[in-house]
Amino acid sequence: YPLSTAIARPLIVAKLVERANQELARLGVRDEDVTHLSVAGALEIPLALQWMAQSGRYDALVAIGAVIRGDTYHFEVVSNESARGVMDVALEFGVPVANEAQALARIDKGGEAIRVAIEMARLRAGLQEQQR
């Protein structure tokens, strides 16, 4: 039997976050250097990222979520607007933001998002160092 969206989404996000945390550990990122936030839905992700980017405390940000396709156009609107908002934050603040809103079939994307964010943060630091 298919799981309801209310049950499936938290399970999918939990798996994505688990893989992301595994990748952080593999890359040697300390737990105390990571901030985890939870928001009500995908459309709230960009605002939370904006608040974090405004603080100037983060080298990179990662957005992990799940938008589940239903029988309406709502999926496309939520997916597109959330992704656009995440990109706006990255461009406005110059902070690398890796975004993964994928389903269980792509569960390793959480770890990939971490790799991308860290790679971009290191690239940014390298560029800043060259400009000095």
Side-chain angles (χ1 to χ4, degrees):
Y1 298 98
L3 293 173
S4 74
T5 300
I7 295 171
R9 186 178 300 114
L11 294 174
I12 292 167
V13 171
K15 280 294 195 186
L16 288 164
V17 170
E18 178 184 323
R19 294 291 171 89
N21 286 333
Q22 289 170 357
E23 188 62 19
L24 285 167
R26 190 187 74 74
L27 292 170
V29 177
R30 299 176 314 174
D31 288 343
E32 59 268 18
D33 291 334
V34 177
T35 301
H36 290 272
L37 294 181
S38 180
V39 296
L43 291 175
E44 289 74 31
I45 290 171
L47 184 57
L49 291 172
Q50 183 182 49
W51 294 336
M52 294 173 80
Q54 285 172 335
S55 77
R57 294 181 43 224
Y58 301 95
D59 296 319
L61 300 169
V62 177
I64 297 175
V67 180
I68 299 174
R69 185 180 303 275
D71 294 333
T72 68
Y73 183 68
H74 183 73
F75 169 84
E76 284 81 7
V77 171
V78 171
S79 296
N80 291 339
E81 291 304 310
S82 180
R84 183 200 50 80
V86 168
M87 181 58 68
D88 287 350
V89 170
L91 293 174
E92 180 180 348
F93 293 96
V95 175
V97 181
N99 183 24
E100 267 322 316
Q102 300 295 332
L104 199 54
R106 297 181 57 156
I107 205 70
D108 288 326
K109 288 293 186 177
E112 185 177 312
I114 294 296
R115 286 189 295 279
V116 167
I118 290 174
E119 180 179 317
M120 291 301 293
R122 288 178 177 160
L123 175 62
R124 180 180 184 207
L127 290 171
Q128 288 173 336
E129 189 63 34
Q130 287 178 357
Q131 294 172 355
R132 291 185 186 164

